[in-house]
Amino acid sequence: MEWLTVLIQKHVLRFLFPSFFVMTLTLIIVVNHHLTFHSFLSPVEYTFGSQTRSAVVSPRLQVAAPSNTTLDDHAHSNITTPSNTTAFPTSTDPSNSTNPSNTTRPNESGHIPNIVHYVYLLPDTARTFSFQFKHLLSIYASYMYLNPTTIYLHTNANAHAIDEARSSNANKWNRLLLDIPTLRINRVESPTHAANGKALANIEHKSDFVRTAVVSEMGGLYLDFDAHPLRDVKVLRESGFSAIFGRQHKGEVNNGVFLAKPGALLLDVWKREMNRVYDGRWSTHGNGVLTKICPRLMRNPGEVLILEQDALQPGSWEPRDTANLFAVHSETRSNLEGKKNGDVLEDFVDTDVQGLRKRGERWERDYSSTFVLHAFDPSRNGKAIEGFKHVTPRYVLERRSNFARAVYPVAKRLYELQLLSWNDTHLGD
């Protein structure tokens, strides 16, 4: 645990008040609010598509005061479980059972629950999913590293679209992603307006409102689909803080990766303020609000922890950073050279616990201080990247970019389970 203590202290000391500078991880962990959590989910049986499945029904997700159509207009959201057969090995830990009733227990420990949330909203609810290999890498990394009780996929897709995504006609990555044992699909309605009457301009903004609502209700870790866990976040979840965020490029607080307890004060304030200030611009209601309110709530012991950029948001969306992350270094030997599909691949486990080893390549970045790699999509800036077009199994397994080396253990595990081949496309078709 010593390295984890050092890692937490590294990210905490820059942003906490001077009086906190001598705080150790042990002291942080004991700073807790005495809150009572009540069960908010109840198991039911219902017919979904052509099958009867176990599910849970949650009460209202408070997103905005009534103004045209918001998520709060819909009293229930249906959570479906995966099929009984799965290509993935399942946990033998009874506390991590995929039985829906295990997701309904109150948070008796006072820690941030070990729940992961993704939001995937569609412009047309009848459209099926179009997951790519990079999306599977993110969700399977959550499953592999975090061992969560539940991974929630919050979506407005209708029942037919969800069944279609699970069918044999769907692309490979759709089927595998929806087959992850702890994954639950939580059907939500996509909000259309903020409480101030402004129409929500795009899918990304609607996702901002949904993510705030579901994490406020259930607690846990929220991840954008381009965010990739690199190690367990248990030390953060059990640190005693009610909400944990990270800074991004240029110092703003980012809302693409965050953790919180159910009912965290910060999320209550954020929900209220995002509805008040929403103006259609990209980040006024998200990063803009968080950057203002997070530092002010830090005066309350144990309320908010803001991590340095390297912890959750290394790099950025700027062309130079996306090139450093995704560019293929053709001068570096491919990890697949001299091998054929099915051959055993190396582990490349870093055993240098003292942190003194020089990196293997001059271009290689050290992610030892990173919990989650938020890999901003390079298409955002429209700049071509040398040797890179898409995230494919071959691209990752060759290990010739920083992104490939960071997520290699996840792809290697899928390869060992014989769930992918080198020749699979990024679309899985």
Side-chain angles (χ1 to χ4, degrees):
M1 290 295 294
E2 181 179 353
W3 72 272
L4 291 174
T5 302
V6 172
L7 183 58
I8 285 291
Q9 289 173 333
K10 175 183 176 182
H11 294 308
V12 172
L13 294 181
R14 180 177 174 183
F15 297 105
L16 294 184
F17 294 119
S19 61
F20 284 9
F21 277 14
V22 296
M23 186 179 295
T24 65
L25 179 61
T26 303
L27 289 176
I28 293 173
I29 290 175
V30 300
V31 180
N32 286 299
H33 287 284
H34 298 288
L35 300 176
T36 301
F37 298 94
H38 300 281
S39 175
F40 50 82
L41 302 173
S42 56
V44 299
E45 289 273 324
Y46 76 108
T47 301
F48 186 76
S50 59
Q51 303 177 31
T52 299
R53 296 176 177 158
S54 297
V56 287
V57 176
S58 100
R60 298 185 177 190
L61 300 178
Q62 301 290 336
V63 172
S67 175
N68 294 325
T69 302
T70 70
L71 192 61
D72 191 38
D73 292 326
H74 303 273
H76 299 92
S77 55
N78 292 328
I79 303 176
T80 71
T81 64
S83 60
N84 292 329
T85 59
T86 175
F88 297 95
T90 56
S91 171
T92 57
D93 180 358
S95 66
N96 232 21
S97 167
T98 58
N99 186 325
S101 63
N102 283 345
T103 69
T104 69
R105 292 192 300 266
N107 183 24
E108 297 173 354
S109 67
H111 298 149
I112 294 172
N114 193 14
I115 301 171
V116 182
H117 302 272
Y118 291 86
V119 175
Y120 191 88
L121 300 180
L122 300 169
D124 179 359
T125 59
R127 278 177 47 184
T128 190
F129 299 113
S130 55
F131 291 120
Q132 299 181 23
F133 179 59
K134 61 184 179 181
H135 302 134
L136 175 64
L137 284 175
S138 174
I139 289 196
Y140 192 72
S142 293
Y143 177 72
M144 184 173 115
Y145 289 125
L146 310 181
N147 195 27
T149 57
T150 310
I151 300 174
Y152 283 109
L153 176 60
H154 306 280
T155 182
N156 61 337
N158 66 27
H160 175 75
I162 295 170
D163 278 347
E164 183 65 22
R166 284 192 168 113
S167 74
S168 59
N169 296 324
N171 78 51
K172 183 174 187 174
W173 311 131
N174 277 358
R175 297 195 308 271
L176 286 176
L177 188 150
L178 297 178
D179 201 31
I180 291 176
T182 55
L183 184 83
R184 301 289 181 273
I185 293 179
N186 182 26
R187 292 183 58 210
V188 298
E189 294 294 328
S190 182
T192 61
H193 290 74
N196 63 10
K198 296 277 188 181
L200 301 184
N202 52 49
I203 287 293
E204 291 82 4
H205 290 174
K206 294 176 182 182
S207 171
D208 291 337
F209 280 74
V210 173
R211 74 185 65 173
T212 312
V214 295
V215 178
S216 179
E217 182 189 7
M218 302 181 187
L221 166 67
Y222 170 79
L223 294 170
D224 277 350
F225 268 100
D226 56 1
H228 299 262
L230 302 185
R231 54 183 46 84
D232 198 355
V233 298
K234 181 178 180 180
V235 68
L236 299 178
R237 290 191 300 100
E238 298 184 357
S239 66
F241 284 90
S242 293
I244 301 174
F245 286 76
R247 293 195 183 273
Q248 66 174 24
H249 179 53
K250 298 183 179 179
E252 278 196 327
V253 177
N254 183 274
N255 74 339
V257 180
F258 62 91
L259 305 91
K261 295 178 182 178
L265 174 61
L266 173 58
L267 295 190
D268 285 343
V269 177
W270 183 17
K271 283 192 297 181
R272 183 188 71 227
E273 288 300 296
M274 72 192 307
N275 275 285
R276 184 181 68 84
V277 307
Y278 181 78
D279 58 6
R281 290 187 290 180
W282 184 252
S283 62
T284 303
H285 61 287
N287 299 348
V289 167
L290 289 170
T291 302
K292 292 178 181 178
I293 64 177
C294 280
R296 292 190 59 82
L297 289 181
M298 285 175 65
R299 70 180 70 181
N300 302 328
E303 195 63 56
V304 181
L305 173 64
I306 305 175
L307 300 177
E308 286 186 0
Q309 182 181 344
D310 276 357
L312 305 176
Q313 317 286 340
S316 77
W317 54 89
E318 300 283 359
R320 179 177 178 179
D321 285 332
T322 56
N324 285 338
L325 182 61
F326 290 103
V328 173
H329 297 270
S330 55
E331 75 279 7
T332 299
R333 179 179 177 271
S334 168
N335 182 51
L336 302 181
E337 185 176 317
K339 297 183 176 69
K340 62 181 183 299
N341 243 322
D343 285 352
V344 174
L345 301 180
E346 296 180 59
D347 283 332
F348 297 101
V349 176
D350 188 352
T351 58
D352 180 28
V353 295
Q354 295 183 356
L356 301 177
R357 179 180 71 85
K358 292 183 179 179
R359 308 313 298 169
E361 305 286 347
R362 60 178 177 78
W363 51 263
E364 185 179 358
R365 177 162 181 171
D366 185 355
Y367 290 109
S368 299
S369 60
T370 301
F371 288 97
V372 178
L373 170 60
H374 198 166
F376 294 96
D377 190 337
S379 65
R380 289 177 56 172
N381 55 52
K383 302 289 185 180
I385 295 179
E386 183 177 355
F388 173 79
K389 289 185 177 180
H390 304 288
V391 176
T392 65
R394 179 178 290 276
Y395 167 80
V396 175
L397 294 175
E398 284 191 323
R399 298 186 76 252
R400 296 200 289 182
S401 72
N402 277 307
F403 178 80
R405 294 198 170 192
V407 303
Y408 173 80
V410 180
K412 178 177 179 289
R413 179 58 176 152
L414 292 167
Y415 172 77
E416 290 170 340
L417 293 171
Q418 301 181 5
L419 298 176
L420 59 82
S421 80
W422 304 350
N423 300 320
D424 286 328
T425 70
H426 70 290
L427 297 175
D429 49 16

